[in-house]
Amino acid sequence: MTIQIEDMIIIDALELSNWDRDFLLLLKKGGVTCVHACCGLWENARETLTKLGTWHRFFAEHEDLVMPVHKGEDILKAKASGKIGVVLGAQNTSALEDELALVSVFNDLGVKIMQLTYNNQNLIGSSCYEEQDTGLSRYGKLVVEEMNRVGMVVDLSHVGNRTSLDAIAASSRPVAITHANPDWIYPSKRNKSKELLGELRDNGGVLGVCAYPHLINGPETTLEEFCDMIVRTVDFMGIEHVGIGTDLTLNMSDEFLKWMRMGRWTHKIDYGAGSKDNPSWPEWQSWFKTPADFPNIAMGLANKGMTQEEVSAVMGGNWLRFFTEGFKAEKELEKCVSLI
Amino acid sequence: MTIQIEDMIIIDALELSNWDRDFLLLLKKGGVTCVHACCGLWENARETLTKLGTWHRFFAEHEDLVMPVHKGEDILKAKASGKIGVVLGAQNTSALEDELALVSVFNDLGVKIMQLTYNNQNLIGSSCYEEQDTGLSRYGKLVVEEMNRVGMVVDLSHVGNRTSLDAIAASSRPVAITHANPDWIYPSKRNKSKELLGELRDNGGVLGVCAYPHLINGPETTLEEFCDMIVRTVDFMGIEHVGIGTDLTLNMSDEFLKWMRMGRWTHKIDYGAGSKDNPSWPEWQSWFKTPADFPNIAMGLANKGMTQEEVSAVMGGNWLRFFTEGFKAEKELEKCVSLI
């Protein structure tokens, strides 16, 4: 079965790679239109400004190849101009500290996605690695409400099960899991339960299935197995609720790995999704070494019998729809309703 | 002589008042369309985020009366909708700390004007109160260049004479003195020399003449004297280069006055533009107690023989033109040129 991928809008709902010009060229080669890029893990408000300043320089220095995405139409502009659109997001809420008003401030700075917790319990809730998940805190509920108001997408990828269910219940708008897999297909604390993915679907959310080796069956996982997982996930969630979030970590240093997993919260080694036997950056699958390999996934889905429209929805169409709505301020949504 | 003020766009190029709903209603009563409001004095980057968060709440809670201004057309929108447009600006560069990339970050947050120094020497240059003004530092030159690039207006109101002359020379774009007076009319360290105002004019800048009692002849200064100063300033600089920047400080606390003058840089009392005999907030002139008194200035200028067009230029037309151009990124200017 052949499919046409040139016209597709391919969106990767998370990459944590070393963004340089070569990386942009790999994305372009892979036909990628838009990437959600991580601009913060453990960084507080001040440190996040420095990270954003670095992104501003990157955008200015490579403006022939890349542009920031603040709203859905920016993704269409990126596609039309052959540039890579970048949605900045934080994989934690450390940047907000204990200050509710900073949701709106960072939203203005183009941080359009925030994961409520990274691998730890924080002011808002618990992660998938905590022994006890006490659910969404009082502050957490207010943060979700404020994110709903300004149009910043709630991401639950590393968040604990109970906090995630609470967040979906608290949110007046659909939420995202940008990078995780069903845990009944690939068991892992980081992957998600049927209960949670059912609630995500019923509330209009999207799941980005994840190619991170530790969240599937390691680098030996075949493309067919990966695409089989996608087909089964689509069977459970419906074609409109599944996208891709590779979690690609290309050319990142061991120093960064240590920062990512241990931040400043521990002096003992913490392996995150890794393990004592597999402590370093994982080796990636032969069919997805760089973003230039994106067409492999599209072809793999077609080989599983998906139609052009179905492949298109999973490769980016669903994220395009979700981000276009999700990045709007609540006020803009009301405007649309009042026009009816 | 009568003039028509309803259609005028009145712009105040600096107010440091206690912004609440009552204050917005006074501005509306005075026919004011747009105000440059101070969002920082000694606050560092992190503290400035908190100030901006407070402004975001203010904008959200009073959105029927006020709106943020990021570009010239926002001022026209404010006029059309009968709202007060607010340009946020910092009266210091403390928010930038030593980090060049933060110019672009704070510009994205709508901080569209920055005064290079407040009353002290800083990383960028010297203030009008320093014994020695060593001019614009190496970092200062880079900051001016970056402000030029992103479209953040350079303000020299409290800046020392030599640093100001250096900044005008370093800037590829016109700069502003939002609130000061000619020192040959009202002698004061805070007022400006003929040399400086001549350079400002020759480089396309605008001066906002200032009603702050300490920068004129105290609260006894009559409206006629104030308007006489405006006429003489226009004679020297030309009608296109003079606007208003009242520096109004309505309903501000003594605690704030202390913070404004002393920040964290001294434990000894510092009087700023005040003095030992006049240490508190100054009493204001009978003809300018609140922003509802703006029409008095327009009438005063008409009584001095200015035409409708001339009054209009001084009351806001010049700032409208200057801000519309000044808030554009350099890239947007190039676009205009290439269209010719």
Side-chain angles (χ1 to χ4, degrees), chain A residues 299-318:
Chain A
M299 295 306 291
L301 292 174
N303 287 337
K304 280 277 162 194
M306 278 196 184
T307 64
Q308 173 80 29
E309 287 66 32
E310 288 167 336
V311 175
S312 214
V314 171
M315 295 303 292
N318 290 332

Side-chain angles (χ1 to χ4, degrees), chain A residues 295-338:
Chain A
N296 289 343
I297 300 177
M299 295 306 291
L301 292 174
N303 287 337
K304 280 277 162 194
M306 278 196 184
T307 64
Q308 173 80 29
E309 287 66 32
E310 288 167 336
V311 175
S312 214
V314 171
M315 295 303 292
N318 290 332
W319 284 127
L320 175 64
R321 182 194 72 242
F322 181 88
F323 288 159
T324 300
E325 280 306 290
F327 295 168
K328 284 181 188 163
E330 206 158 44
K331 239 179 6 186
E332 295 173 87
L333 296 177
E334 283 161 13
K335 228 182 276 175
C336 300
V337 171
S338 72

Side-chain angles (χ1 to χ4, degrees), chain A residues 133-322:
Chain A
D133 177 350
T134 51
L136 203 62
S137 69
R138 292 187 300 154
Y139 177 55
K141 283 174 191 159
L142 297 171
V143 166
V144 167
E145 191 182 316
E146 184 69 355
M147 289 172 80
N148 286 165
R149 186 180 74 82
V150 302
M152 186 190 278
V153 165
V154 173
D155 187 355
L156 301 175
S157 304
H158 287 239
V159 178
N161 194 59
R162 183 170 163 195
T163 299
S164 295
L165 290 169
D166 282 359
I168 292 174
S171 179
S172 63
R173 302 176 62 175
V175 307
I177 295 177
T178 62
H179 58 300
N181 294 322
D183 70 357
W184 65 95
I185 303 179
Y186 291 112
S188 156
K189 285 182 181 175
R190 264 277 283 108
N191 286 335
K192 302 304 179 189
S193 68
K194 263 196 176 152
E195 182 191 14
L196 179 56
L197 293 183
E199 288 294 325
L200 185 84
R201 171 199 62 206
D202 293 347
N203 286 277
V206 174
L207 167 74
V209 291
C210 188
Y212 196 66
H214 293 325
L215 299 190
I216 47 179
N217 208 14
E220 304 305 319
T221 312
T222 65
L223 176 59
E224 204 194 330
E225 285 164 347
F226 185 73
C227 290
D228 190 56
M229 171 183 70
I230 296 180
V231 168
R232 289 172 64 190
T233 308
V234 166
D235 285 345
F236 177 69
M237 297 190 69
I239 187 70
E240 292 178 4
H241 301 282
V242 180
I244 309 282
T246 63
D247 210 359
L248 185 67
T249 53
L250 197 69
N251 293 327
M252 297 299 276
S253 67
D254 286 343
E255 198 181 12
F256 183 81
L257 181 72
K258 203 174 154 192
W259 166 249
M260 180 177 97
R261 289 178 174 169
M262 293 167 60
R264 290 171 287 230
W265 69 272
T266 176
H267 296 163
K268 292 183 189 156
I269 196 152
D270 189 88
Y271 297 108
S275 64
K276 202 171 177 179
D277 297 335
N278 203 349
S280 303
W281 286 114
E283 192 192 332
W284 282 67
Q285 301 76 244
S286 60
W287 47 269
F288 199 79
K289 292 281 184 198
T290 81
D293 292 327
F294 258 98
N296 289 343
I297 300 177
M299 295 306 291
L301 292 174
N303 287 337
K304 280 277 162 194
M306 278 196 184
T307 64
Q308 173 80 29
E309 287 66 32
E310 288 167 336
V311 175
S312 214
V314 171
M315 295 303 292
N318 290 332
W319 284 127
L320 175 64
R321 182 194 72 242
F322 181 88

